[in-house]
Amino acid sequence: MHKREQVLGNIEEFVSQELQSPSLAKEVNYLRHDWFDDQQRVAIVGEFKRGKSTLVNALLQRSIMPVDILPTTGVVHKVRHSEQEQVHVYYQNDVETVPLNKTLLDQFTIDHDIKDIDSIMVETDLSHLSTDIELLDTPGVGDLNDLSLKVTYEQIPRADLIVFVLDLTTPLRQSEINYLIDTIQPLAMGDVMFVANFADRVDEDEIDELTEYLEKKLKSITEQDITVLPISALDATEVDDDDWNNFVNTMLSRLENQNHYRADLLEKRENYLINMIQKHVSHVETLQQAEQEELESLLNAIKKLEGEEPLQRKRFEEYVKEREKEIKRLTHRSIETFSLNLNDKLLEEINQFDGGDLKRFVEKDLTRIVEQESKKWFNHHIPHIQQLIQKVELELFEGIKRTVSNKQGDMRQGSGLDDFDEQLWDVQFSYKQAKIKDSVKDHMTSLGASGIAVGIGAAILGPLSAIFLGASPLLKDYLSNKRIKQFQEEAPEKIEPQMKELKEKIEDSLDEYIHNQLNDLLHNTTSYYRDVLLESKESIEQQILINENHHQYSHIDLQQWPSLLAALEGVRNGSSVTYS
């Protein structure tokens, strides 16, 4: 057995038995396996309904992966090369192997209780890509159940390449941004590339603008130059497509580049896990030093917070509703000013019209003015709206931290658990606040006129000519009688209904956009709050149980940890240091 494999095996045993953390032990097991496995993993991630499974099917050049699956029934599918086609279904404590059959695979995904399924491995011919590739088709991010979320997050650090699938037809959702900031950036050890699916659903002359919008938006979030590749996974399964071929070639090229740094990638994962274990060891040491009465007091504080969670959520819901009203009120005021200015500009153009093709003037020239002015408005105001929404998120987290700190302070007074409290709360909330502040700063950067207008404005305004040209039938009368002067005199009255409709459409659509963004924000914030409470409660309950049944855990020896670290360092340095 290789020395590194032996040392990591000892660390896995320590984490499992001494720290009693099965999930962390599982990650060490993955790392130990990956050090001696030549497979390169490509994880396909993104929101539900982004066409991830269709993309994987296109890579396989055949329809195997289940599509249109309900988000609550999602499970991680892995695909490896093999000359013998079969499916391995990994349950929590068992594995079932069956011949590859799409109908059977659909049944495993839909009909089975996925709480019992860890993952599904499909073995089929991948020689047209590479015999060393493992594809991972993950559940949709925005709609994961707890088990699928956990499994998906386990796979992200293992991936040599992450393919983040976006929708070319819609702006980035807040949940996608949160997933990128809170999960992909902190956990991804390998390369990340972005593709925008559904290029077949937009006009060809809009693809570049939509792609540019996504690239600028992602750059403002990641502070890196990002390339987004537009694709149509559906078309790729039917025809030879240049954009699809470009994506596949880029993916294989980046994998080949990653292969040169595979050892560095694995050592990066190793450092990450060692750091996580060290934090866990320090946490357990702190808990072991705490008196039972102090632990009970702190546990009661957390349970009280859990009991008050519905009330706390209601308070935050009311707060978000008030902020939503304020943001909408500011937005409506701006839209009112915009519509008045646009109306004046259109009337000015009409009054300056001195003859010619009246039909073209109305249908082309005036419509172009509406489109241009709308794009300018969106370019200027959408970043401000997003900034206001991000500030609401920051205020929510600051409010949650104050609530927690006050409750903890009341229950901890004189208990001597100040350091423990800071470990559980201040570090986690400070990290989240820093992320949000960075996000607020990012939204102040210029995102570009065309990108904003096409990415968000186009989704709201739709075909402007359909709105503005509602008066086109009236042109026939003007044209037939060549009454240009009358057209100019009656223009204010004729334009008013179209301007009102345009204004109301923008207001209604932006109201919906703001509401959805804030609703996602509230859900993500309260979910994070519950997760932290649960994690803290479980840690304290475990230590209380250990203290109450100390004779059952007399073998626990945290002093093993320095020896394990020294043994691993010896392996890295090529010395003869071993752990026994």
Side-chain angles (χ1 to χ4, degrees):
M1 181 183 292
H2 192 279
K3 286 184 178 179
R4 180 176 241 115
E5 187 176 5
Q6 179 182 358
V7 172
L8 288 175
N10 291 333
I11 291 177
E12 179 186 349
E13 183 179 357
F14 168 77
V15 171
S16 176
Q17 295 185 5
E18 311 298 343
L19 298 184
Q20 300 181 18
S21 176
S23 60
L24 197 53
K26 190 174 185 179
E27 291 192 49
V28 177
N29 178 270
Y30 284 151
L31 176 65
R32 183 162 65 96
H33 175 269
D34 293 347
W35 265 110
F36 306 98
D37 181 20
D38 294 331
Q39 293 289 317
Q40 286 191 287
R41 292 170 181 81
V42 180
I44 314 298
V45 305
E47 287 258 337
F48 180 60
K49 284 291 187 182
R50 291 298 187 258
K52 297 186 300 298
S53 297
T54 304
L55 185 150
V56 174
N57 282 333
L59 286 172
L60 299 178
Q61 296 183 350
R62 57 189 294 197
S63 181
I64 296 178
M65 293 296 108
V67 296
D68 295 328
I69 302 300
L70 292 174
T72 52
T73 59
V75 65
V76 173
H77 290 72
K78 305 176 184 180
V79 187
R80 278 196 175 193
H81 172 76
S82 175
E83 295 181 359
Q84 180 180 0
E85 294 196 328
Q86 54 188 358
V87 177
H88 306 284
V89 182
Y90 293 91
Y91 299 95
Q92 299 299 310
N93 299 304
D94 194 13
V95 60
E96 179 180 357
T97 301
V98 296
L100 177 57
N101 180 286
K102 187 181 186 306
T103 302
L104 192 62
L105 190 59
D106 287 347
Q107 291 175 351
F108 272 116
T109 305
I110 301 172
D111 297 339
H112 278 58
D113 185 354
I114 66 162
K115 290 185 293 185
D116 298 328
I117 298 178
D118 184 49
S119 64
I120 295 176
M121 173 69 77
V122 176
E123 292 186 342
T124 187
D125 182 18
L126 292 180
S127 58
H128 59 283
L129 293 174
S130 170
T131 57
D132 294 331
I133 282 183
E134 179 178 290
L135 301 174
L136 286 80
D137 181 14
T138 64
V141 172
D143 302 281
L144 293 177
N145 56 48
D146 292 341
L147 177 62
S148 295
L149 185 67
K150 176 175 174 290
V151 174
T152 299
Y153 286 4
E154 283 177 355
Q155 300 302 326
I156 289 173
R158 301 186 72 192
D160 297 274
L161 176 65
I162 293 173
V163 179
F164 201 123
V165 184
L166 305 170
D167 185 342
L168 191 62
T169 68
T170 63
L172 282 173
R173 286 173 55 86
Q174 188 62 44
S175 54
E176 290 176 303
I177 296 173
N178 292 342
Y179 183 55
L180 179 59
I181 293 174
D182 298 336
T183 302
I184 298 297
Q185 286 187 312
L187 294 182
M189 303 294 166
D191 197 4
V192 181
M193 66 182 295
F194 296 86
V195 298
N197 198 13
F198 308 128
D200 54 301
R201 299 182 184 178
V202 300
D203 293 337
E204 188 172 347
D205 57 359
E206 291 183 341
I207 291 178
D208 288 343
E209 283 188 295
L210 291 168
T211 303
E212 181 184 358
Y213 157 72
L214 290 173
E215 289 175 342
K216 289 182 177 179
K217 181 72 173 178
L218 290 169
K219 182 178 180 179
S220 73
I221 296 168
T222 64
E223 297 184 349
Q224 298 176 5
D225 289 330
I226 299 294
T227 298
V228 176
L229 301 180
I231 63 169
S232 170
L234 182 62
D235 283 353
T237 62
E238 302 173 357
V239 297
D240 187 32
D241 182 79
D242 290 340
D243 287 338
W244 176 260
N245 292 334
N246 179 45
F247 157 61
V248 174
N249 292 333
T250 302
M251 181 188 76
L252 295 176
S253 174
R254 292 175 78 157
L255 270 179
E256 183 179 358
N257 184 63
Q258 282 293 99
N259 197 40
H260 296 308
Y261 304 98
R262 183 168 176 78
D264 294 337
L265 171 63
L266 289 167
E267 192 157 312
K268 185 180 177 182
R269 278 177 58 193
E270 198 170 75
N271 288 335
Y272 170 79
L273 283 176
I274 293 302
N275 188 43
M276 292 293 293
I277 296 170
Q278 181 61 59
K279 289 180 179 179
H280 205 133
V281 168
S282 300
H283 181 60
V284 171
E285 286 177 338
T286 304
L287 286 175
Q288 285 180 335
Q289 295 168 5
E291 295 291 337
Q292 194 79 342
E293 184 177 340
E294 296 168 348
L295 289 172
E296 294 284 358
S297 176
L298 192 55
L299 181 61
N300 288 335
I302 294 174
K303 286 182 176 179
K304 189 167 185 179
L305 285 172
E306 281 188 321
E308 295 172 351
E309 195 268 334
L311 176 61
Q312 186 65 33
R313 176 180 174 82
K314 184 177 180 181
R315 290 171 181 164
F316 282 112
E317 284 176 347
E318 292 173 352
Y319 174 80
V320 169
K321 284 180 181 178
E322 289 302 313
R323 301 292 80 75
E324 181 176 339
K325 290 178 183 177
E326 290 179 6
I327 296 173
K328 287 180 178 179
R329 185 165 57 248
L330 292 172
T331 303
H332 285 200
R333 189 182 304 165
S334 177
I335 294 171
E336 176 70 25
T337 302
F338 158 72
S339 64
L340 291 173
N341 291 338
L342 178 58
N343 187 77
D344 291 344
K345 187 173 183 65
L346 290 174
L347 292 178
E348 181 181 353
E349 291 291 328
I350 291 171
N351 289 330
Q352 291 178 359
F353 180 67
D354 56 2
D357 190 339
L358 179 59
K359 186 173 188 299
R360 175 179 175 80
F361 173 70
V362 174
E363 294 184 349
K364 300 294 183 182
D365 297 345
L366 292 187
T367 300
R368 184 177 64 255
I369 291 172
V370 176
E371 290 176 339
Q372 290 174 345
E373 293 302 312
S374 299
K375 286 182 179 181
K376 289 180 183 178
W377 186 87
F378 277 104
N379 178 60
H380 182 72
H381 287 88
I382 293 297
H384 292 302
I385 293 173
Q386 293 174 321
Q387 180 193 4
L388 290 172
I389 291 171
Q390 292 291 328
K391 285 185 176 180
V392 172
E393 184 176 15
L394 180 60
E395 290 166 0
L396 277 175
F397 270 90
E398 289 176 341
I400 289 175
K401 184 180 177 182
R402 283 194 301 271
T403 300
V404 170
S405 298
N406 292 340
K407 183 67 67 176
Q408 295 268 66
D410 293 342
M411 301 299 291
R412 287 187 301 103
Q413 195 164 13
S415 69
L417 286 177
D418 291 347
D419 292 339
F420 175 68
D421 176 57
E422 181 173 344
Q423 274 189 0
L424 284 181
W425 300 102
D426 290 347
V427 173
Q428 297 185 59
F429 281 116
S430 296
Y431 171 77
K432 184 67 177 179
Q433 285 174 313
K435 286 287 186 182
I436 298 171
K437 287 176 180 176
D438 287 343
S439 183
V440 171
K441 179 185 69 176
D442 289 340
H443 284 298
M444 292 297 291
T445 62
S446 173
L447 299 181
S450 61
I452 286 293
V454 175
I456 297 179
I460 291 175
L461 297 178
L464 287 168
S465 58
I467 299 173
F468 182 69
L469 296 178
S472 285
L474 298 174
L475 287 175
K476 295 180 181 178
D477 184 50
Y478 293 123
L479 289 170
S480 62
N481 295 286
K482 298 183 179 179
R483 293 181 294 173
I484 304 301
K485 186 65 176 176
Q486 182 181 353
F487 168 72
Q488 292 173 326
E489 291 174 352
E490 296 180 1
E493 180 182 351
K494 303 302 182 184
I495 288 177
E496 183 179 355
Q498 277 67 48
M499 291 303 305
K500 181 179 179 181
E501 182 180 352
L502 175 61
K503 173 176 170 291
E504 290 176 351
K505 185 176 180 64
I506 296 175
E507 287 177 342
D508 291 344
S509 298
L510 272 179
D511 283 352
E512 182 180 3
Y513 171 77
I514 292 168
H515 175 77
N516 290 339
Q517 293 288 298
L518 288 174
N519 194 51
D520 284 346
L521 181 156
L522 180 64
H523 173 75
N524 293 333
T525 303
T526 53
S527 295
Y528 180 81
Y529 175 55
R530 286 195 301 269
D531 289 344
V532 173
L533 285 177
L534 180 62
E535 180 182 341
S536 303
K537 185 179 75 170
E538 288 178 347
S539 295
I540 297 171
E541 286 177 337
Q542 181 184 28
Q543 186 59 39
I544 289 174
L545 184 62
I546 291 174
N547 290 354
E548 290 176 347
N549 305 280
H550 187 69
H551 62 282
Q552 297 181 17
Y553 301 92
S554 59
H555 64 282
I556 292 179
D557 180 16
L558 294 183
Q559 298 305 313
Q560 299 176 58
W561 181 234
S563 300
L564 289 168
L565 282 178
L568 183 60
E569 191 63 28
V571 171
R572 290 179 170 182
N573 296 332
S575 68
S576 58
V577 178
T578 58
Y579 172 81
S580 57

